[in-house]
Amino acid sequence: MLVVACFTGAIAILLRAVVIWLNPATYTDVFAGSNQHASVFVVLFACTIVIPVAFLLMQRERAAVELYRLATIDPLTGLFNRRAFLDLAARALARAPAEIVVRRVDVGPGFLQTRQ
């Protein structure tokens, strides 16, 4: 919502800057009658629009990464939770089912005699 408000405000400011730039005779106090002043004015307005929007987009990206981390990692152990583990396992099976091999380990009769 904040990004939409920033974009709306940025467009309004940019349109106002274009109107002022196209009518320099009306706004003589802004440019002092020079095209160079008009160009600097538009560039500075563009910078005041681009920098905050870029900052908000960067914060949104950081929040998305943090949300993904909180949804997939157990805070107590730092390991993947059940949902993330099942999701990773499903992706691994879909990608290469031939690479996953289930093996039965036969320890032999000696193991059974020592355990009884």
Side-chain angles (χ1 to χ4, degrees), residues 82-94:
R82 180 175 177 258
R83 179 178 170 220
F85 177 75
L86 292 176
D87 185 39
L88 289 172
R91 278 195 244 159
L93 282 171

Side-chain angles (χ1 to χ4, degrees), residues 15-27 31 35 38 41-42:
L15 288 176
R16 182 69 175 153
V18 168
V19 167
I20 292 173
W21 187 39
L22 293 176
N23 301 319
T26 309
Y27 304 96
F31 309 120
N35 285 336
F41 175 74
V42 170

